[in-house]
């Protein structure tokens, strides 16, 4: 039996502006994990993927080409095994919230690749795993940016520029983040399309905001590398104001951001697409408890505290 895990992710800085060529920073969230267990199955069964939480059971040889779980299993087996349909049972579980911008699809795919590699005693670099997972991200998201598979397979912060690439970078002093869910469901596609319309109607209004976000992201990377948490917190606050000006925040997000600050967070902002979803706050060991309480009192449906190092 082999067991492997992969974390979730959040976007720390630069969401939306990244669509317009400015940089973004994403970090792994190790507090939540997808897990995959590979065990020998019955003779002749082929590969069976079981997801007990989702009450799903998939027989590989019956699965469609574009089924994401089947796709990642087939891609991985083509590299690590001479037999494309060995008798194996793969059990998948995950604590990464689904459809909340936390990379649940990429986390599950990464855990499966890692578990199969271990089972077949085959070594793949993080980059090779990331490239495999990207191919299934296309099935989940249509036109994925590549952020999720990269940050999740490297398990390090990444600095990402669309069409140019990404760099893994180092954290000068560990960052403690509280990630709170508004409970409001939004569609990334819809928010991105809405901003695109407004951007095209009035580029002169939006370009300076996007440019400033780009500067904030570049500065944020430097402060993360230097371990300057107070300054980083102030940049999160500024990034949130800029996202409000882009019209992608909402009252629920603004309320949680204000609550985190009143609880003593060093900074707070929405994270991901907006109009709902998650916000993040930079906290310390001293403030994490108070911020958690303030967030829940302000309506957060879930609070995850995670350390980035
Ligand atoms: O849904 P998330 O958290 O992965 O965030 C989407 C980020 C956007 O910048 C809004 C869109 C994108 O494709 O980068």
């Amino acid at each position: 039996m082999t067991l492997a895990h992969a974390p979730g992710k959040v976007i720390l800085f630069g969401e939306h502006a990244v669509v317009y060529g400015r940089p973004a920073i994403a970090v792994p969230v190790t507090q939540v994990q997808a897990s995959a267990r590979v065990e020998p199955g019955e003779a002749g069964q082929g590969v069976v993927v079981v997801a007990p939480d989702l009450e799903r059971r998939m027989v590989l040889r019956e699965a469609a080409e574009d089924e994401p779980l089947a796709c990642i299993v087939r891609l991985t087996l083509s590299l690590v095994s001479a037999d494309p349909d060995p008798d194996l049972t793969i059990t998948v579980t995950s604590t990464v919230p689904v459809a909340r911008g936390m990379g649940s699809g990429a986390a599950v795919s990464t855990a499966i690749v890692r578990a199969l590699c271990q089972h077949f005693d085959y070594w793949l670099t993080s980059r090779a795993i990331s490239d495999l997972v990207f191919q299934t991200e296309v099935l989940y998201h249509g036109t994925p940016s590549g952020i999720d598979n990269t940050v999740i397979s490297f398990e390090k912060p990444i600095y990402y520029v669309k069409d140019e690439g990404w760099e893994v970078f180092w954290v000068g002093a560990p960052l403690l983040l509280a990630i709170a869910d508004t409970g409001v469901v939004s569609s990334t596609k819809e928010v991105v399309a809405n901003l695109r319309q407004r951007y095209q109607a009035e580029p002169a209004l939006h370009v300076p905001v996007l440019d400033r976000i780009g500067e904030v992201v570049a500065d944020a990377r430097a402060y993360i590398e230097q371990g300057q948490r107070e300054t980083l917190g102030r940049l999160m606050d500024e990034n949130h104001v800029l996202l409000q000006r882009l019209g992608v925040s909402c009252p629920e997000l603004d309320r949680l951001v204000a609550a985190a600050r009143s609880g003593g967070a060093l900074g707070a902002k929405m994270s991901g697409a907006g109009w709902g979803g998650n916000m993040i706050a930079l906290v310390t060991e001293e403030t994490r408890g108070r911020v958690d309480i303030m967030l829940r009192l302000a309506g957060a449906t879930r609070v995850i505290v995670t350390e980035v190092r």
Side-chain angles (χ1 to χ4, degrees):
M1 194 271 279
T2 58
L3 179 64
H5 309 280
K9 76 100 193 12
V10 281
I11 296 184
L12 196 52
F13 286 96
E15 50 277 273
H16 286 289
V18 70
V19 175
Y20 301 86
R22 277 64 167 191
I25 292 172
V27 296
V29 178
T30 49
Q31 198 60 34
V32 289
Q33 296 270 335
S35 306
R37 192 176 69 214
V38 175
E39 324 169 77
E42 285 172 24
Q45 73 164 49
V47 177
V48 176
V49 182
V50 195
D53 305 340
L54 305 174
E55 297 187 1
R56 274 198 62 193
R57 184 175 184 277
M58 184 198 72
V59 178
L60 186 68
R61 64 172 78 108
E62 294 166 6
E65 278 302 307
D66 58 355
E67 209 295 319
L69 286 180
C71 171
I72 195 64
V73 172
R74 287 189 183 117
L75 283 169
T76 311
L77 287 174
S78 70
L79 285 179
V80 306
S81 156
D83 180 354
D85 195 21
D87 297 324
L88 293 177
T89 299
I90 306 174
T91 308
V92 180
T93 53
S94 178
T95 56
V96 184
V98 176
R100 312 306 289 146
M102 292 192 71
S104 66
V108 165
S109 299
T110 305
I112 290 176
V113 178
R114 287 177 174 167
L116 282 171
C117 283
Q118 274 180 40
H119 180 84
F120 287 98
D121 213 5
Y122 193 97
W123 192 78
L124 281 178
T125 61
S126 299
R127 179 185 286 259
I129 295 175
S130 175
D131 290 346
L132 276 184
V133 173
F134 181 77
Q135 296 186 52
T136 57
E137 285 288 283
V138 174
L139 301 175
Y140 282 112
H141 301 297
T143 50
S145 60
I147 289 184
D148 289 15
N149 48 289
T150 308
V151 66
I152 287 170
S153 57
F154 281 87
E155 299 201 27
K156 286 280 171 212
I158 63 159
Y159 183 86
Y160 174 86
V161 182
K162 190 177 147 196
D163 299 331
E164 281 183 26
W166 47 267
E167 290 168 43
V168 170
F169 66 98
W170 305 98
V171 180
L175 303 176
L176 202 54
L177 299 176
I179 304 163
D181 196 331
T182 57
V184 178
V185 179
S186 74
S187 147
T188 298
K189 221 168 154 178
E190 207 178 298
V191 188
V192 169
N194 179 279
L195 176 58
R196 165 83 56 196
Q197 266 180 3
R198 288 181 288 114
Y199 171 84
Q200 282 169 344
E202 285 181 293
L205 195 69
H206 293 91
V207 168
V209 183
L210 297 171
D211 284 342
R212 180 60 199 148
I213 293 178
E215 291 167 4
V216 164
V217 178
D219 288 351
R221 173 181 174 166
Y223 292 132
I224 294 170
E225 287 173 327
Q226 294 158 13
Q228 293 193 37
R229 285 179 287 223
E230 280 78 13
T231 333
L232 191 67
R234 286 199 289 277
L235 285 182
M236 289 171 75
D237 293 343
E238 181 176 355
N239 198 167
H240 185 70
V241 171
L242 293 164
L243 286 160
Q244 285 176 317
R245 283 171 60 188
L246 290 180
V248 295
S249 191
C250 64
E252 291 84 354
L253 281 166
D254 293 344
R255 194 177 319 129
L256 293 188
V257 164
R261 288 182 193 144
S262 71
L266 295 171
K269 63 182 278 294
M270 56 164 273
S271 170
W275 287 4
N278 288 319
M279 57 73 67
I280 42 178
L282 184 61
V283 297
T284 60
E285 282 301 340
E286 293 69 41
T287 57
R288 63 183 285 178
R290 236 172 81 88
V291 171
D292 187 318
I293 292 170
M294 296 305 276
L295 286 168
R296 289 177 201 273
L297 286 174
T301 55
R302 181 195 299 118
V303 181
I304 295 166
V305 178
T306 193
E307 190 177 58
V308 181
R309 42 171 73 245

